[in-house]
């Protein structure tokens, strides 16, 4: 099995990952009912994000934290949802890639999930 090497690899990863998310009823509603993502528009944005994070290509300009805080304002993003998200992400990486970049992207995903949960908790604290 090869390591993540380029944007084509990242596209395969996010495409397979979203297939898992969208077929899991415990989390799919976030993407289909709350956010109503347009998957064909969303995947290239995710590829750009992960390409910047893992391959150093740049190009991602959105505020990842604010996007998730906005979603959380519509539907609480619970720790359980983050666990499901991470589980599907790790599984997808492990099914398709092996190597330093594959491990790096899993570590980065855990870091992002952790930071998002902290930011959501801080936002909740501000409103009390």
């Amino acid at each position: 099995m090869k390591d993540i090497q380029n944007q084509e690899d990242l596209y395969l990863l996010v495409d397979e990952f979203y297939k898992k998310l969208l077929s899991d009823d415990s989390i799919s509603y976030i993407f289909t009912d709350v956010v109503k993502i347009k998957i064909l528009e969303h995947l290239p944005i995710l590829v750009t994000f992960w390409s910047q994070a893992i391959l150093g290509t740049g190009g991602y300009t959105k505020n990842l934290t604010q996007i998730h805080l906005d979603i959380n304002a519509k539907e609480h993003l619970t720790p359980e949802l983050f666990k499901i998200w991470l589980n599907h992400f790790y599984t997808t990486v492990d099914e398709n890639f092996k190597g330093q970049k594959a491990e790096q992207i899993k570590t980065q995903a855990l870091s992002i999930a952790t930071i998002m949960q902290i930011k959501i908790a801080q936002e909740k604290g501000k409103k009390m």
Side-chain angles (χ1 to χ4, degrees):
M1 208 178 312
K2 70 174 191 155
D3 200 359
I4 297 168
Q5 298 171 355
N6 53 44
Q7 290 190 338
E8 290 78 25
D9 291 342
L10 290 169
Y11 192 91
L12 170 74
L13 174 63
V14 296
D15 187 42
E16 292 300 313
F17 172 54
Y18 267 77
K19 286 176 186 171
K20 285 179 175 34
L21 288 177
L22 293 172
S23 65
D24 182 340
D25 292 340
S26 64
I27 195 169
S28 63
Y29 70 95
I30 296 291
F31 303 97
T32 58
D33 299 341
V34 178
V35 181
K36 297 182 172 88
I37 62 165
K38 295 178 177 78
I39 196 72
L40 294 178
E41 294 172 16
H42 192 58
L43 292 182
I45 294 167
L46 292 171
V47 169
T48 301
F49 171 80
W50 285 114
S51 183
Q52 177 170 301
I54 302 304
L55 304 174
T57 55
Y60 185 81
T61 57
K62 297 181 184 294
N63 183 332
L64 186 66
T65 301
Q66 192 58 54
I67 290 167
H68 287 83
L69 290 175
D70 292 347
I71 295 166
N72 186 67
K74 295 177 186 176
E75 178 76 27
H76 180 54
L77 298 176
T78 64
E80 183 58 32
L81 288 170
F82 281 99
K83 284 181 194 159
I84 294 165
W85 184 91
L86 276 172
N87 182 50
H88 285 308
F89 194 82
Y90 290 171
T91 300
T92 307
V93 172
D94 291 342
E95 286 173 352
N96 293 282
F97 300 101
K98 185 177 184 77
Q100 189 250 331
K101 296 285 186 200
E103 292 306 312
Q104 182 184 347
I105 203 168
K106 290 190 294 184
T107 300
Q108 186 99 20
L110 175 60
S111 177
I112 291 166
T114 303
I115 290 167
M116 290 303 150
Q117 290 177 80
I118 291 168
K119 296 287 187 184
I120 286 167
Q122 287 173 340
E123 196 74 10
K124 185 179 178 186
K126 287 179 192 173
K127 293 178 180 172
M128 296 183 122

